[in-house]
Amino acid sequence: MDNKINKLALVSVMLCFFAMGFVDLVGIASNYVKKDLGLNDATANIFPSLVFFWFLIFSVPTGVLMNKIGRKKTVLLSLLITVVSLLLPAFGESFGLMLVSFSLLGIGNALMQTSLNPLVATVVRGGHLASTLTFGQFVKAIASFMAPYIAAWGATQAIPSLGLGWRVLFPIYMIIGIAASLLLLSTPIHEDGPVFDNGAAPTVGHQFASCFQLLAKPIVLLSFIGIMCHVGIDVGTNTTAPKILMERLGMTLDDAAFATSLYFIFRTIGCFTGSFFLRIVNNKLFFIISITMMALSMLGLFIGTTKPVLYTAIALVGYGNSNVFSLVFAQALQSVPEKQNEVSGLMIMGLFGGTIFPLLMGFASDAMGQAGAVLVMAVGVAYLFTYIRNVK
């Protein structure tokens, strides 16, 4: 019976990973909002930056919240906020309404990413954590690469009477989010309570302090920066790849949206194959191969002027970046096993890199074209090369 429950729990959390992928719609959505509202790059990049800003604010408090109400209930709360965020664009696409929608999407995703990864550690006991997290990223990537296709379909083929256009993406994902919520709610998952040093739960203030004190551990701090770079490159490519095709090949937005899908197709392939490779290949070697692919991609995106070169570069960064999160996250989580909730909160706070990178890339691209945005991402790749020595 336990085995059936574990399998049901695994299916349930994997559907939650799919819902976690909803946040990646912000890349293609920001391009459509830019077009509809006539925004420049710096202003349009506020949307992906705003989504990931909330990771800075909510990740560590979510780690503390998990100690109080448990991981499953925290994931359910995150799904509720996500569903509300996806409901709002049905009422319009004004600048203010989209800001609120993307903010709630970011808040819900901050709660989900902080609580869902440790919930996987609860369901998958006794090993294979990195490979299971990678498979979860594979499921998440399916939602990510579907988003541009659904948005493009909505913009060109959707039922006119709905009046949503590309925004048909939101209600479709909202329905899936509701399904994920109901399945998780009905799935029994046994959680062990958090273990405190003196046996009694410390005050909230003490939990916050002890959480940030973990950054004094070099592996935790270096992993935190590694996560920032990973997500900065991820969101940066998601947002910038269509702009590069439009700038250098003269494509329309609907045609260039394929670049985002191509990125997520190869990221999906990378997650799927990585979940197997990480069981049989040396983790450090796989990490080196991944970062090398990303470096080659940055070169292609910087100098490429033809469709084959640019598509190859986008595919390389998609595959290369696909397993970085799982490897870095697992290193950090296993380095302090008795503080997994707190470490998870800190690592997900590192997704704040999704705010910093697009903002810097927006200013750089306004100043010197999309090559400037690529240079910003290349700095993140350079840091990940320095992290190689920390991969066990």
Side-chain angles (χ1 to χ4, degrees), residues 56-98:
L56 177 68
I57 306 298
F58 282 95
S59 298
V60 171
T62 302
V64 174
L65 179 66
M66 277 193 288
N67 285 338
K68 189 172 181 65
I69 69 173
R71 296 168 180 177
K72 177 182 170 181
K73 288 181 179 177
T74 308
V75 175
L76 285 169
L77 176 61
S78 74
L79 286 166
L80 175 62
I81 297 171
T82 299
V83 167
V84 173
S85 76
L86 296 169
L87 175 64
L88 292 179
F91 299 103
E93 59 172 331
S94 67
F95 190 81
L97 185 66
M98 298 306 287

Side-chain angles (χ1 to χ4, degrees), residues 11-271:
V11 171
S12 177
V13 297
M14 287 303 152
L15 188 56
C16 292
F17 268 105
F18 189 89
M20 187 192 290
F22 296 169
V23 74
D24 289 320
L25 65 82
V26 68
I28 192 62
S30 65
N31 282 297
Y32 276 105
V33 173
K34 175 189 173 184
K35 176 186 175 184
D36 291 349
L37 301 182
L39 309 175
N40 62 20
D41 270 348
T43 305
N45 279 12
I46 288 175
F47 289 103
S49 294
L50 184 65
V51 167
F52 289 93
F53 167 76
W54 299 108
F55 286 90
L56 177 68
I57 306 298
F58 282 95
S59 298
V60 171
T62 302
V64 174
L65 179 66
M66 277 193 288
N67 285 338
K68 189 172 181 65
I69 69 173
R71 296 168 180 177
K72 177 182 170 181
K73 288 181 179 177
T74 308
V75 175
L76 285 169
L77 176 61
S78 74
L79 286 166
L80 175 62
I81 297 171
T82 299
V83 167
V84 173
S85 76
L86 296 169
L87 175 64
L88 292 179
F91 299 103
E93 59 172 331
S94 67
F95 190 81
L97 185 66
M98 298 306 287
L99 281 179
V100 174
S101 173
F102 285 3
S103 290
L104 289 174
L105 185 62
I107 293 168
N109 210 260
L111 268 68
M112 194 181 306
Q113 298 224 34
T114 305
S115 53
L116 187 56
N117 291 297
L119 188 62
V120 172
T122 299
V123 174
V124 183
R125 297 179 185 272
H128 296 311
L129 178 59
S131 60
T132 305
L133 288 175
T134 291
F135 188 75
Q137 292 297 312
F138 159 67
V139 175
K140 174 179 180 284
I142 294 173
S144 301
F145 89 75
M146 281 174 57
Y149 281 115
I150 297 173
W153 170 77
T156 58
Q157 304 292 332
I159 304 169
S161 60
L162 290 176
L164 292 175
W166 67 270
R167 288 178 291 125
V168 74
L169 172 64
F170 291 92
I172 290 173
Y173 275 2
M174 183 182 72
I175 292 169
I176 300 172
I178 293 170
S181 306
L182 295 175
L183 181 59
L184 181 63
L185 183 63
S186 62
T187 302
I189 298 177
H190 173 73
E191 297 181 55
D192 297 321
V195 178
F196 300 110
D197 293 336
N198 60 2
T203 63
V204 171
H206 185 271
Q207 289 186 58
F208 270 95
S210 64
C211 183
F212 283 106
Q213 284 169 4
L214 291 171
L215 288 173
K217 295 180 179 290
I219 182 61
V220 176
L221 177 61
L222 294 173
S223 298
F224 172 79
I225 299 172
I227 295 288
M228 286 188 70
C229 292
H230 155 75
V231 76
I233 296 164
D234 181 62
V235 178
T237 305
N238 184 2
T239 306
T240 302
K243 296 175 185 175
I244 292 176
L245 296 184
M246 292 162 68
E247 177 185 86
R248 299 184 192 169
L249 303 179
M251 287 187 174
T252 65
L253 176 56
D254 289 335
D255 290 334
F258 172 71
T260 303
S261 292
L262 180 65
Y263 170 74
F264 283 116
I265 286 168
F266 276 87
R267 187 176 154 187
T268 303
I269 294 170
C271 289

Side-chain angles (χ1 to χ4, degrees), residues 217 219-220 223 329-338 340 343:
K217 295 180 179 290
I219 182 61
V220 176
S223 298
F329 194 94
Q331 294 294 322
L333 213 58
Q334 292 166 349
S335 68
V336 195
E338 71 281 5
Q340 288 192 341
V343 171

Side-chain angles (χ1 to χ4, degrees), residues 269-331:
I269 294 170
C271 289
F272 183 70
T273 56
S275 65
F276 296 106
F277 289 148
L278 287 171
R279 293 172 184 259
I280 59 175
V281 177
N282 180 292
N283 281 5
K284 178 173 283 192
L285 175 62
F286 194 69
F287 190 80
I288 292 170
I289 293 170
S290 297
I291 305 308
T292 302
M293 292 174 74
M294 293 169 69
L296 291 172
S297 164
M298 293 301 111
L299 180 63
L301 290 175
F302 187 76
I303 66 173
T305 55
T306 64
K307 190 180 291 187
V309 171
L310 292 173
Y311 280 5
T312 301
I314 293 166
L316 280 173
V317 71
Y319 193 96
N321 205 26
S322 60
N323 296 287
V324 171
F325 177 86
S326 300
L327 283 163
V328 174
F329 194 94
Q331 294 294 322

Side-chain angles (χ1 to χ4, degrees), residues 336-351:
V336 195
E338 71 281 5
K339 297 276 190 181
Q340 288 192 341
N341 287 353
E342 291 83 351
V343 171
S344 178
L346 285 173
M347 292 304 104
I348 301 305
M349 190 172 76
L351 297 185

